């Protein structure tokens, strides 16, 4: 495991724990973020059964996606400043991208779906070079479209693509830079929430409104 | 004066947006485009020798020996074999108090050219992996040796993160001195869902121009076969997997290159068909036909199939449709696996287990094989083509398995 990958597998769990502690405690502002961040750092570095937390989490999760890290930074920053860097449209883009990616990727990776559909293999450009154009161009076009529309989730996708070019993760597969199971689960929950909210508002005869999330 | 300011204000974001969008397109397409040369070479074909009509030995020779007699471990299983350029044989297997237990380690033994096997040596334990990989592993299993150039030897094996085999992922280590010492362990990422659950089992196929196609299988929700491509890249090897079939049908592929482009795969059955399955590829392993049952029985047990120098296929398998592995037989096919004839019984005993055969075929026509015997023994078998032909002739004359 390279140094960059090792640091990444420490930083992302720390961000995740910081956000969880902020959310559970209801704290906001710089002081709250500092306290929760410090507690999260202590939890991450504490020698659980003789080893720090990343030693255990890496066993199952050594490739956290860039969008997951990005939305955690946005969420923590929102708690600190009281204003979200993401509009509801940005969040919607994140959840829809993550949910669509999860539907395209995970059933195939479990051996389900059409026999010849191997979505994950497209993430190695040197394996099925011609077919992998669909994935690389697809992510690039989605990122470009979002950036053109001033959707800030596009920045996270751009960072994921740049990260893949640098190759800082343990994985050499593009999918692992743009999607992971944690982000996928959050995205599916986010899309379901969007769907329920739309259904609820339609039943009440109201149109869904664009709303800033804090 | 207001108009130009308005234009400037509206153009600035437009330029930023355009630059960012262009950057995104470039960032996405650059790695794809830079991989084009490797992409064109991705399926170079198999490194397979043309069939030779007759390989002559003087006398039929068949020998068998236990590699780990007196082993204190309650379980020894999933053996693999590699022949080094100097003629030595290296065998590796996992052993411990039981499958998935924390004391399981990877063991090796080396047979010198005179035929003596060395005392088994534990080369890897989960604790030894902790430092290399910086992560927890519950247990180890399924080693596979990859003989390289100039005495270089690769060791592919699984580490289990949690649970049983469905919690496993692939690791790779290299030895520059034929297995005496091993370098740091590298984790291979082969699945997007927590990197679960690929396992190797059967011999790898060498690729034209270097690298290996290693048959592996997934065992998480579905059971399905894949090929792990270890391709030369940037001075080392890059790992990527491609699917051979869908889930819930077959697993543990045995990959048999027939020519540079053609290959056959034989599978362990996980359906109620209770037959060994088979598929074909005509494009160097890139795409595979739908697995079809063969005439050989199989009840969820590993098979090994190799191509003999004369082009026939040799299969080692448990000859039963019941949930036991009380025998281990050889069958031979002269039509690339479509039909089979049983020729020999290597082991048979009630309430015992003989399983997981692993075969290598030398250029000299000798077949060298290891398999799990009686749960905690690793048996080594070698025989020459004369013995094989004599058994095949005898089977044909008698119409039964000798």
């Amino acid at each position: 495991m390279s140094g960059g990958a090792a640091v990444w597998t420490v930083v992302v769990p720390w961000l995740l724990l910081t956000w969880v502690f902020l959310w559970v405690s209801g704290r906001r502002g710089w002081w709250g973020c500092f306290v929760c961040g410090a507690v999260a750092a202590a939890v991450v570095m504490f020698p659980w059964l003789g080893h720090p937390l990343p030693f255990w989490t890496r066993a199952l999760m050594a490739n956290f996606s860039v969008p997951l890290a990005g939305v955690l930074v946005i969420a923590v920053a929102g708690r600190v400043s009281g204003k979200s860097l993401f509009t509801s449209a940005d969040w919607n883009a994140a959840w829809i991208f993550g949910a669509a990616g999860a539907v395209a990727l995970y059933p195939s990776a479990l051996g389900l779906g059409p026999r010849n559909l191997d979505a994950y293999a497209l993430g190695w450009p040197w394996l099925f070079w011609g077919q992998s154009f669909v994935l690389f161009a697809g992510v690039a076009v989605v990122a470009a479209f979002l950036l053109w529309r001033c959707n800030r989730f596009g920045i996270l996708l751009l960072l994921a693509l740049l990260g893949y070019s640098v190759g800082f993760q343990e994985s050499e597969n593009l999918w692992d830079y743009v999607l992971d199971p944690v982000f996928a689960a959050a995205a599916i929950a986010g899309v379901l929430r969007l769907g329920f909210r739309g259904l609820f508002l339609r039943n009440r005869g109201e149109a869904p409104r664009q709303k800033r999330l804090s | 004066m207001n108009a130009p300011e308005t234009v400037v204000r509206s153009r600035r974001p437009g330029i930023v947006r355009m630059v960012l969008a262009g950057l995104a397109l470039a960032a996405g397409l650059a790695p794809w485009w830079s991989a084009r040369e490797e992409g064109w070479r991705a399926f170079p074909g198999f490194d397979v020798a043309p069939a030779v009509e007759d390989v002559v030995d003087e006398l039929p020779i068949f020998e068998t020996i236990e590699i780990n007699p007196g082993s204190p471990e309650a379980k020894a299983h999933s053996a693999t074999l590699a022949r080094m350029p100097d003629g030595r044989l290296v065998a590796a297997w996992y052993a411990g108090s039981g499958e998935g237990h924390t004391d399981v380690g990877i063991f090796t033994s080396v047979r010198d050219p005179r035929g003596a096997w060395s005392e088994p040596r534990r080369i890897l334990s989960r604790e030894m992996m902790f430092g290399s990989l910086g992560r927890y592993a519950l247990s180890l299993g399924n080693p596979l040796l990859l003989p390289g150039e100039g005495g270089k030897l690769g060791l592919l094996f699984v580490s289990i993160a949690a649970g049983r085999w469905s919690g496993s992922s692939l690791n790779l280590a290299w030895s520059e001195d034929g297995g005496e010492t091993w370098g740091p362990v590298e984790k291979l990422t082969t699945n997007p869902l927590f990197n679960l659950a690929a396992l190797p089992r059967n011999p790898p196929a060498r690729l034209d121009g270097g690298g290996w196609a290693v048959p592996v299988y997934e065992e998480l929700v579905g059971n399905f076969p894949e090929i792990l491509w270890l391709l030369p890249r940037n001075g080392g090897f890059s790992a990527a997997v491609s699917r051979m079939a869908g889930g819930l049908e077959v697993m543990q592929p045995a990959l048999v290159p027939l020519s540079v482009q053609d290959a056959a795969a034989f599978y362990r059955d996980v359906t109620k068909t209770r037959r060994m399955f088979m598929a074909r590829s005509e494009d160097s392993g890139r795409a595979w036909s739908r697995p079809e049952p063969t005439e050989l029985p199989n009840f969820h047990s590993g098979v090994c199939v190799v191509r003999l120098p004369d082009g026939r296929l040799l299969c080692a398998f448990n000859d039963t449709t019941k949930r036991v592995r009380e025998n281990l037989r050889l069958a031979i096919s002269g039509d690339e696996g479509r039909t089979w004839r049983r020729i020999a019984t290597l082991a048979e005993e009630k309430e015992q287990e003989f399983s997981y055969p692993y075969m290598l075929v030398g250029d000299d026509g000798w077949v060298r094989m290891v398999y799990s015997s009686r749960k905690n023994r690793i048996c080594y078998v070698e025989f020459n083509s004369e013995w094989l032909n004599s058994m095949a002739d005898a089977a044909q004359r008698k119409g039964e398995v000798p």
Side-chain angles (χ1 to χ4, degrees):
Chain A
M1 177 172 256
S2 70
V7 170
W8 187 248
T9 53
V10 173
V11 168
V12 179
W14 172 73
L15 276 170
L16 184 60
L17 281 175
T18 302
W19 176 77
V20 168
F21 291 154
L22 281 167
W23 183 65
V24 169
S25 65
R27 286 178 180 273
R28 287 178 184 276
W30 285 103
W31 180 243
C33 182
F34 176 77
V35 170
C36 290
V39 173
V43 171
V44 166
M45 301 317 293
F46 182 80
W48 303 96
L49 297 174
H51 297 282
L53 192 65
F55 173 82
W56 303 98
T57 55
R58 276 185 208 128
L60 279 175
M61 192 82 181
N63 296 290
F64 294 100
S65 68
V66 175
L68 174 68
V71 298
L72 286 171
V73 168
I74 300 290
V76 169
R79 285 272 166 181
V80 172
S81 66
K83 285 188 285 187
S84 177
L85 295 173
F86 264 22
T87 64
S88 58
D90 302 336
W91 286 113
N92 292 351
W95 301 148
I96 290 168
F97 177 86
V103 169
L105 179 63
Y106 293 121
S108 156
L110 290 170
L112 309 173
R115 185 172 60 91
N116 291 324
L117 177 66
D118 191 357
Y120 191 59
L122 303 184
W124 291 292
W126 61 88
L127 189 61
F128 294 105
W129 184 71
Q131 289 147 287
S132 67
F133 176 77
V134 175
L135 177 65
F136 283 78
V139 175
V141 166
V142 170
F145 174 76
L146 292 174
L147 289 166
W148 181 252
R149 296 288 303 267
C150 293
N151 187 303
R152 290 179 179 176
F153 180 65
I155 295 172
L156 298 186
L157 283 185
L158 172 60
L159 291 174
L161 290 169
L162 292 171
Y164 180 76
S165 296
V166 174
F168 72 94
Q169 296 241 51
E170 192 170 72
S171 171
E172 296 180 289
N173 192 300
L174 177 65
W175 278 110
D176 292 313
Y177 285 77
V178 298
L179 194 64
D180 64 59
V182 177
F183 180 60
I188 289 169
V191 165
L192 290 174
R193 190 162 158 249
L194 275 176
F196 282 128
R197 190 193 293 163
L199 200 65
F200 177 70
L201 292 175
R202 193 176 299 126
N203 286 344
R204 285 180 55 187
E206 296 175 21
R209 283 183 296 137
Q210 293 279 308
K211 184 185 168 189
R212 289 186 78 87
L213 298 179
S214 59
Chain B
M1 293 295 287
N2 286 341
E5 281 181 20
T6 307
V7 170
V8 168
R9 280 198 201 107
S10 64
R11 276 189 65 189
R12 267 189 185 154
I15 290 170
V16 172
R17 284 155 57 185
M18 197 180 294
V19 168
L20 286 173
L23 188 58
L25 288 173
L29 293 177
W32 174 79
W33 181 250
S34 64
R36 66 191 182 281
E37 284 188 19
E38 292 156 314
W40 291 331
R41 294 196 306 261
F43 297 93
F46 299 106
D47 183 8
V48 55
V52 181
E53 273 304 311
D54 272 314
V55 179
V56 178
D57 284 307
E58 290 182 353
L59 291 168
I61 301 174
F62 175 93
E63 289 179 359
T64 181
I65 189 172
E66 279 184 1
I67 296 178
N68 62 339
S71 165
E73 286 81 19
K75 180 79 178 178
H77 195 38
S78 195
T80 172
L81 201 58
R83 193 175 188 209
M84 303 306 294
D86 60 6
R88 288 180 308 146
L89 281 173
V90 182
W93 63 92
Y94 78 81
S97 58
E99 280 188 18
H101 291 197
T102 53
D103 64 346
V104 166
I106 306 291
F107 289 74
T108 61
S109 178
V110 180
R111 195 184 80 148
D112 60 37
R114 290 170 297 150
W117 285 95
S118 67
E119 193 68 22
R121 182 167 68 97
R122 182 192 287 259
I123 58 162
L124 205 60
S125 67
R126 66 184 196 122
E127 288 82 6
M128 292 157 81
M129 276 183 58
F130 288 171
S132 266
L133 290 176
R135 75 196 72 187
Y136 174 76
L138 175 70
S139 188
L140 308 178
N142 284 36
L144 187 86
L145 291 169
L146 302 164
E149 304 295 333
K152 192 170 181 176
L153 188 62
L155 175 68
L156 189 69
F157 64 99
V158 302
S159 57
I160 301 173
R164 296 294 299 268
W165 296 115
S166 56
S168 57
S169 56
L170 291 170
N171 309 275
L172 183 61
W174 292 101
S175 169
E176 301 290 341
D177 52 13
E180 286 296 313
T181 58
W182 292 89
V185 178
E186 175 192 355
K187 174 68 73 181
L188 305 183
T189 306
T190 58
N191 192 295
L193 200 64
F194 303 110
N195 197 18
L196 305 173
L199 299 99
R201 224 297 283 167
N202 268 314
R206 289 199 70 115
L207 297 174
D208 204 8
W212 291 271
V214 185
V216 297
Y217 59 102
E218 295 276 344
E219 198 176 333
L220 187 55
V221 174
N223 294 287
F224 61 95
E226 293 179 321
I227 293 181
L228 169 70
W229 301 93
L230 289 172
L231 302 171
R233 192 163 178 263
N234 301 333
F237 288 95
S238 276
V241 292
S242 64
R243 216 157 96 172
M244 299 172 80
L248 311 173
E249 277 185 343
V250 294
M251 59 192 272
Q252 287 184 354
L255 177 61
V256 187
L258 303 170
S259 69
V260 173
Q261 297 290 322
D262 298 318
F266 299 89
Y267 301 117
R268 167 176 172 170
D269 179 26
V270 291
T271 68
K272 292 179 179 173
T273 312
R274 300 189 181 185
R275 297 276 159 194
M276 181 174 80
F277 276 68
M278 176 192 178
R280 291 291 298 259
S281 170
E282 295 173 348
D283 55 4
S284 308
R286 187 186 177 97
W288 290 86
S289 65
R290 178 178 290 279
E292 301 288 347
T294 66
E295 62 191 48
L296 287 184
N298 188 267
F299 189 95
H300 224 313
S301 61
V303 299
C304 186
V305 182
V306 290
R307 179 177 174 272
L308 299 169
D310 62 8
R312 291 176 299 171
L313 301 189
L314 180 68
C315 176
F317 67 110
N318 294 115
D319 193 1
T320 177
T321 55
K322 296 176 185 165
R323 190 186 288 274
V324 289
R325 296 172 179 175
E326 293 174 340
N327 65 49
L328 190 63
R329 293 218 165 94
L330 293 178
I332 206 158
S333 171
D335 54 8
E336 297 183 341
R338 290 174 188 86
T339 59
W340 292 90
R341 192 170 73 246
R342 293 167 176 81
I343 60 165
T345 300
L346 295 176
E348 186 161 27
E349 194 175 329
K350 283 281 177 198
E351 296 177 3
Q352 288 296 344
E353 182 176 317
F354 309 98
S355 59
Y356 272 44
Y358 187 104
M359 292 189 285
L360 288 182
V361 183
D363 298 334
D364 51 6
W366 279 73
V367 177
R368 297 170 177 91
M369 175 180 177
V370 281
Y371 65 89
S372 308
S373 170
R374 296 176 171 83
K375 297 190 189 304
N376 70 341
R377 293 286 181 270
I378 301 300
C379 270
Y380 171 75
V381 176
E382 65 177 14
F383 48 86
N384 60 5
S385 55
E386 284 298 305
W387 179 83
L388 199 62
N389 291 334
S390 68
M391 298 306 282
D393 292 344
Q396 196 161 20
R397 280 197 306 274
K398 293 178 184 173
E400 60 186 27
V401 182

